[in-house]
Amino acid sequence: MPTYKAPVEDVMFLWNDVFGIDRHANLPGFSDASPDVVSAILEESAKYCEEVLTPLNRIGDKQGCARAPDGAVTTPDGFKEAFKQFVEGGWIGVSAPAEFGGLGLPIVVTQIVNEFLCSANMSFAMYPGLTQGAIAALIAHGTPEQKALYLPKMIAGEWTGTMNLTEPHCGTDLGLLRTKAAKQPDGSYKITGTKIFISAGEHDLAENIVHLVLARIEGAPEGTKGISLFVVPKMLPNADGSPGARNAVVCGSLEEKMGIHGNSTCVMNYDGATGWLLGEENRGLPAMFTMMNEARLGVGVQGLALSEVAYQNAAAYAKERLQGRALGGAKFKDKPADPIIVHPDVRRTLMTIRSFNEAARALVMWTALASDLHHRSEDDKTRQAADDHMGLLTPVIKGVFTDLGFANTVMAQQMFGGHGYIAEHGMEQFVRDARITMLYEGANGIQALDLVGRKLPKDGGRALQAFFAEVQGFIKDQAADDGMKVYVEPLGKAIGHLQAATMWFMQNALAKPENAGAGSTDYMHLFGLVALGYMWAKMAAAARAKLKAGANGSADRMNAKLVTGRFFMERVLPETQAQLARIQSGAASTMELKAEQF
Amino acid sequence: MPTYKAPVEDVMFLWNDVFGIDRHANLPGFSDASPDVVSAILEESAKYCEEVLTPLNRIGDKQGCARAPDGAVTTPDGFKEAFKQFVEGGWIGVSAPAEFGGLGLPIVVTQIVNEFLCSANMSFAMYPGLTQGAIAALIAHGTPEQKALYLPKMIAGEWTGTMNLTEPHCGTDLGLLRTKAAKQPDGSYKITGTKIFISAGEHDLAENIVHLVLARIEGAPEGTKGISLFVVPKMLPNADGSPGARNAVVCGSLEEKMGIHGNSTCVMNYDGATGWLLGEENRGLPAMFTMMNEARLGVGVQGLALSEVAYQNAAAYAKERLQGRALGGAKFKDKPADPIIVHPDVRRTLMTIRSFNEAARALVMWTALASDLHHRSEDDKTRQAADDHMGLLTPVIKGVFTDLGFANTVMAQQMFGGHGYIAEHGMEQFVRDARITMLYEGANGIQALDLVGRKLPKDGGRALQAFFAEVQGFIKDQAADDGMKVYVEPLGKAIGHLQAATMWFMQNALAKPENAGAGSTDYMHLFGLVALGYMWAKMAAAARAKLKAGANGSADRMNAKLVTGRFFMERVLPETQAQLARIQSGAASTMELKAEQF
């Protein structure tokens, strides 16, 4: 059975040495987030994740959720108690406003905790995760009455939340959606339609479930401009805020799916259910999009989380499993065979995964910090730059972290040989669970298109220029330091490839957008590697500074950082040249066949 | 529910136009394999696969196998009837010797049929597949009495076969195995021990199961040199050859695994079971290795097979699913949205998969043909060259086709968006089924090591030199044809990368074998891309010749070949430069961390 240890020390290195987050102590919430406080919070979260959630992960996979004939859904054994503990710990509202019962801490803390939760038990983590998303939507778009009614309950974990977008015939293209909303004399709406793939749509963890539902008001325009957002609680709140009568929304069935069995993925049937408009009429889609960046960043974090826990278990197995001898002759002559970690190909695999994990964690923190600055800074320029950063990096993190996160779970499983295929080791569950992250919250092809078609050209390319300037500024700053050459030279080459690819799009995709479309996924991954490479260069600089300053007991960890960063530069980053070549080959052979020839 | 159409026309193009297999009509078996006969056989096999096996695939996944308390195993609904039809069709013995009831046709025919079978239902195909492996072992190592006793029954499908190698503590490193064989006065042996991961170890498809078991005779040397191979039938044959008393071998449990649920993967307990030596004492491992090439080629075919069926279903869905609009504006204005095949990123994905499938099929046929020449040619030089080819290409095909085959099933699943994650579409089953191919019959890291450590240096690099000479000869032959430039120029560049990588190993890995180990997987994939690129160049030349000659109704297909080949050169082959860069970075950063730092 898999084990998990939350990487608290690694996070604190990023917090203190790489990003120096306490320089933002003047911002709301950050003053309460001193390194000591953050470290204590993370240790507490780690303990809960390691001891409570990790052991429930395989149980959840094996049992799944069960639906009764009346539509009630039971979660796997232990989930209810674990959720109770989670709620009592105040974890749902870590970054929620204090006025509604939250702790008001930076979003960066929430994203770190989310990584731990998803490593330990992704199916479980999705229940509070979706609630956090619904809370954000209510904060952004709710009336004061709606906020007062829903937020305290949801932040306290008494009520949970969901997002209802997808219908059987439409997911990516929500303009096609058919769920209807009929206005009632009292200002409420009757919602009728079927939604699918509703995570946490029905369960037994909380007394009420607050569904946020996209629907079309009768008479509204067709397409995306006629979609509104509604709050549709499972139990209609009484005047005193307690849950009252059952609303006409029911779980019609549970999806039989590849993984995340511990999470209830529901078909939700709305049969004239009572709902209330959230935000403006016909502005439902933009309202959802305001939460998109954080939701997508959260899915990227899931990719990292599964890569991390898969790595930990693969590394432990590789140190333990005796099989064959080292290439240069036996390393452990007293044992019947050497542990497989002596083999270069095993190490190559493990190094590939960890060189992603550590840089990905840095990129999440950097980007979550941007989200905080965007929400909390009082400086217009800072807010705008932070928003630019979020907008640009979000599709990259969602698309690249989930593609690579999944690939990494597969590589980690491979370390177990045939045993990796057997359920009891838990490695195949990580693969199955990770697979969903590439599909939901916008399939990764959509992320690539969002990056290339929307985020690159936005505001005259301002966000991209700022990113280039930051990375190149860093490279320049390090030029004098010979010890940094092994990091900044490959990074310089890689960002050169990214610039060349950008230029190629500018020259070739305006007249023929297919040239951008055909190269979009490669571009997204090229961008991801450059961003991860930049994180490695920053971490290497911080590790070197720390070693120079005496390292304070962490010399071994810092040296490992320097080695892992070199591995990334030598073994992962070279991919950028192939990505550029593919992009520059254009769309001709991709588009030439007639549809019927496929 | 997924559908499947066997690519018979594509195979016949390879058979006739690319490889001109009828030029071998002078060899035993080939004279019976005229294009008309082969085409008729393949059409018959296609019908069976499409109509009988395909509909059973999801049933098999859902039901799995069931074990009764006495160890008896029931296969999923319909498997028994389908197996009966399979046996009646004479499919097990397509390439088996006529003297024991086989058809004696070339192995290339069997490998093609295996592709169809595995596309339709891989779990099912493994039952006869393992029987074919056991038949090959008995042909190679059995006494005349053993052959007479077992082969007719097995070729007729009355008895099936298994391979028992792995034990809980050893898979790759069989030198550690502990199963014991105690010699009896009558010349038989009592076999005692536990074997795991035994595919088709117990089932209800046949009246008897012939286990081939690796065990150590009491007093034999430790390690790999003390291992012998035994025949251990489930039912001890009577004097007349009918199945008699139950032997002391029983299925202890079924493994709970990620996929191939329709195949029974058994823990087999041998409790003093009666067995007979197959081949020489202590020569069990070399005896198994003589069948290794064909078994590994067969697993490579499984990777291709799943990639093919996943492609077909993804292409069909992409032509059908309406979502969004083409980048340049609506293509189907009368529909509420365009089918997603209008999107460059969808096409890029489909083209990536099909450009692998078509070239992979060619490489399988070329290599299976080498196996035939090795077994059937009377010319020493031809036999040796064919054996060299088999030895060199087998690890490449096993490792690369299963890595890419799996990756392709994931890409095909991605085309379905969230629906790809739901069981009823069957796409996630292809992913789960494909995953085993990277693990069994030698995990892919072992294939890479076999290629780099054993096959490259063998006989002074003779096999590799012959491969280089053939590809470069072809490139030279095509130099005068301008229309072939788009194929042979990228191929020339890629083989240059392969040669540079080989040279780098020669210069850097003799003193430090870790430099080869750390680059072995990249080298295997680099080799695979070059070999697939060569197949594309050959197919392009054949397609061009056919078009020049009037194409005979297949102009559309031939043009599609030319486009798909170009796509491969532009979009897949550029990876070789990144592979070379990774190889040339050496092992330093890979090997530097201490084991406890992982």
Side-chain angles (χ1 to χ4, degrees), chain A residues 58 62 167-174 176 196-197 255-260 311 315 319 321-325 327-328 331 336-337 341-345 347-348 350-351 354 406 410-411 413-414 416-424 428 431-436 438-439 443-445 449 513-514 517-522 556-557 559-560 563-564 566-567 570-572 574-575 577-578 581-583 585-598, chain B residues 58 62 167-174 176 196-197 255-260 311 315 319 321-325 327-328 331 336-337 341-345 347-348 350-351 354 406 410-411 413-414 416-424 428 431-436 438-439 443-445 449 513-515 517-522 556-557 559-560 563-564 566-567 570-572 574-575 577-578 581-583 585-598:
Chain A
R58 263 218 75 211
K62 225 175 153 162
E167 300 181 6
H169 64 290
C170 73
T172 299
D173 188 358
L174 289 168
L176 302 173
I196 63 169
F197 303 162
E255 303 282 5
E256 191 192 328
K257 55 201 193 294
M258 185 181 193
I260 52 167
Y311 168 82
K319 288 186 267 188
R321 174 78 172 172
L322 306 179
Q323 205 78 182
R325 289 297 186 185
L327 286 177
K331 292 245 164 118
I341 198 154
V342 302
H343 297 296
D345 193 59
R347 282 174 167 258
R348 177 195 60 79
L350 294 173
M351 291 296 292
R354 80 182 266 159
F406 171 75
V410 173
M411 281 195 269
Q413 178 190 24
Q414 189 73 14
F416 282 67
H419 297 275
Y421 203 66
I422 306 300
E424 70 177 291
E428 59 93 34
V431 174
R432 288 184 290 102
D433 286 356
R435 186 66 185 87
I436 189 60
M438 298 157 70
L439 293 164
N444 286 354
L449 210 57
E514 289 166 347
S520 57
T521 289
D522 273 309
D556 218 41
R557 290 173 56 83
N559 281 318
V563 172
T564 309
R566 257 174 49 221
F567 179 92
E570 292 172 0
R571 288 269 171 177
V572 181
E575 187 66 22
Q577 57 184 320
R582 288 195 287 264
I583 290 166
S585 75
S589 61
T590 303
M591 301 307 292
E592 194 166 324
L593 292 189
K594 292 167 278 184
E596 58 272 26
Q597 287 180 297
F598 280 89
Chain B
R58 264 217 76 212
K62 225 175 151 158
E167 299 181 6
H169 64 289
C170 72
T172 299
D173 188 358
L174 289 168
L176 301 173
I196 62 169
F197 303 162
E255 304 282 5
E256 191 194 328
K257 55 200 194 291
M258 185 180 192
I260 51 167
Y311 168 81
K319 288 188 266 188
R321 174 77 172 173
L322 305 180
Q323 206 79 179
R325 290 295 186 186
L327 286 177
K331 291 244 164 121
I341 199 154
V342 302
H343 297 295
D345 193 58
R347 281 173 169 259
R348 175 195 61 78
L350 293 173
M351 291 296 292
R354 80 183 267 159
F406 170 75
V410 173
M411 282 196 268
Q413 178 189 25
Q414 190 73 12
F416 282 67
H419 297 275
Y421 203 66
I422 305 300
E424 70 177 290
E428 59 92 35
V431 174
R432 288 183 291 101
D433 287 356
R435 186 65 185 87
I436 189 60
M438 298 157 70
L439 293 164
N444 287 355
L449 210 58
E514 290 166 347
N515 275 327
S520 58
T521 290
D522 273 310
D556 217 41
R557 290 174 55 82
N559 281 317
V563 171
T564 309
R566 256 174 51 221
F567 179 92
E570 292 172 2
R571 287 269 170 177
V572 181
E575 186 65 21
Q577 58 184 319
R582 288 196 286 263
I583 290 166
S585 76
S589 61
T590 304
M591 301 306 293
E592 194 166 324
L593 292 190
K594 293 167 278 184
E596 58 272 25
Q597 286 180 298
F598 280 89

Side-chain angles (χ1 to χ4, degrees), chain B residues 526-537:
Chain B
L526 169 50
F527 202 125
L529 290 185
V530 169
L532 292 168
Y534 175 48
M535 292 298 101
W536 268 121

